[in-house]
Amino acid sequence: QVQLVESGGGSVQAGGSLRLSCSASGSTFSTTFMAWFRQVSGNEREGIGYTFVQTRFTYVTDSVKGRFTISQDSAKNTVYLQMNSLKPEDTAVYYCAATTANSMSASIFRPSRFEFWGQGTQVTVSS
């Protein structure tokens, strides 16, 4: 089992920045990919991007490309989501997820591919 705890959410004005952290514990050695998702109440969970733990390869979706960056600190078992130029439409609950899957790609990147989830952290962007 892998436990994930997100932190760093909060309220910010449009144009501002936030950095979310996702700290992993437990059987982290089995984790291959870690990802960030977000969800607005009543909507489906939306993928933001993922990182391949072993190589640090990262992928972010077109909706946030150029504004959001995923990085990791392996020594701390922590993955980060740096969010810049925030917009009101970025307001959502942000979730960290992890999987032991052997592969991941943009075409199969979706919530069902991830077994472990954090509790989520609220990000609110005001205009």
Side-chain angles (χ1 to χ4, degrees):
Q1 290 290 320
V2 177
Q3 293 78 45
L4 303 173
V5 178
E6 302 98 335
S7 61
S11 298
V12 64
Q13 288 193 325
S17 298
L18 280 175
R19 189 179 78 158
L20 306 184
S21 300
C22 173
S23 178
S25 61
S27 301
T28 57
F29 60 88
S30 63
T31 300
T32 50
F33 297 89
M34 294 187 70
W36 288 96
F37 292 83
R38 65 185 179 185
Q39 188 171 26
V40 176
S41 180
N43 291 359
E44 292 186 355
R45 200 161 289 189
E46 174 192 7
I48 294 172
Y50 63 85
T51 180
F52 184 22
V53 174
Q54 186 174 21
T55 66
R56 299 177 181 264
F57 168 83
T58 63
Y59 162 80
V60 293
T61 61
D62 288 344
S63 63
V64 299
K65 189 174 293 183
R67 299 191 299 123
F68 291 11
T69 304
I70 295 174
S71 62
Q72 59 175 295
D73 184 334
S74 299
K76 296 182 179 179
N77 288 324
T78 300
V79 173
Y80 303 98
L81 179 65
Q82 178 67 44
M83 305 185 293
N84 299 326
S85 302
L86 282 162
K87 305 174 182 179
E89 50 263 44
D90 294 319
T91 295
V93 177
Y94 283 70
Y95 295 91
C96 175
T99 181
T100 59
N102 291 327
S103 63
M104 186 63 63
S105 67
S107 62
I108 62 172
F109 176 49
R110 60 181 65 93
S112 61
R113 294 286 177 168
F114 293 82
E115 308 96 280
F116 308 106
W117 291 85
Q119 81 288 352
T121 185
Q122 176 71 45
V123 171
T124 302
V125 184
S126 58
S127 57

